[in-house]
Amino acid sequence: MKITNREILESINTLKVVAQKQMPVKVSYAIAKNISKIDAELKIYEKERKKLIDKYAEKDKDNKIISNKEGQIKFKDQTAWDKDIEELLSIETDIEIHKFKFDLLNGVQMSPAELQAIDYMIEE
């Protein structure tokens, strides 16, 4: 399944909440496998994001990144940063998703956001 870095970032926290629920073994296993694969992709994303921060962040005389009062990093060229980070977020990754049948969720209490986060793992 193809998924963008942005989609991964937006769903990972909800997936980890879902993974803490009591579920049938097959569902729990599928979600755990998928989180493991997604975490591996996130490590690559984070490494590339740090390279961009290093490239565009303003630095002090000791080569430390400068942040404003809110903790936001200051960038030398905000437009170039925005363009490159957007490109990184839009990169698609092909992840082999472990799927399960919807009927296995029978009796599991989930919010709509949680169901949406695992939607791509459910077989028709």
Side-chain angles (χ1 to χ4, degrees):
M1 174 186 148
K2 291 201 180 288
I3 187 168
T4 65
N5 286 327
R6 176 178 281 108
E7 291 168 325
I8 289 171
L9 288 168
E10 290 172 351
S11 69
I12 191 62
N13 290 333
T14 306
L15 281 177
K16 289 184 178 183
V17 169
V18 171
Q20 299 303 311
K21 293 182 175 281
Q22 289 295 321
M23 295 189 203
V25 174
K26 286 184 179 181
V27 174
S28 183
Y29 181 78
I31 291 171
K33 277 193 75 138
N34 292 333
I35 287 173
S36 177
K37 292 173 187 177
I38 289 168
D39 278 342
E41 292 300 325
L42 277 176
K43 285 178 186 171
I44 297 166
Y45 164 82
E46 197 56 40
K47 185 177 177 183
E48 294 305 310
R49 182 178 159 275
K50 285 178 182 177
K51 284 182 189 176
L52 290 177
I53 289 171
D54 190 54
K55 177 179 179 180
Y56 291 114
E58 287 185 25
K59 297 179 183 156
D60 63 17
K61 61 181 164 83
D62 297 323
N63 206 31
K64 293 191 180 187
I65 294 172
I66 299 172
S67 300
N68 64 19
K69 292 176 186 174
E70 292 83 33
Q72 302 279 334
I73 297 170
K74 291 184 175 184
F75 295 105
K76 298 178 274 193
D77 185 343
Q78 185 71 47
T79 303
W81 158 260
D82 289 345
K83 178 182 172 286
D84 282 356
I85 196 67
E86 183 59 37
E87 185 177 344
L88 180 61
L89 286 166
S90 66
I91 292 173
E92 285 188 336
T93 303
D94 200 8
I95 301 176
E96 186 179 331
I97 298 298
H98 197 90
K99 296 190 172 212
F100 57 88
K101 296 207 179 290
F102 182 75
D103 61 348
L104 290 175
L105 290 173
N106 194 13
V108 177
Q109 295 292 322
M110 298 180 87
S111 71
E114 291 169 339
L115 280 171
Q116 186 177 9
I118 64 167
D119 181 55
Y120 60 90
M121 298 178 195
I122 301 171
E123 287 180 330
E124 296 295 321

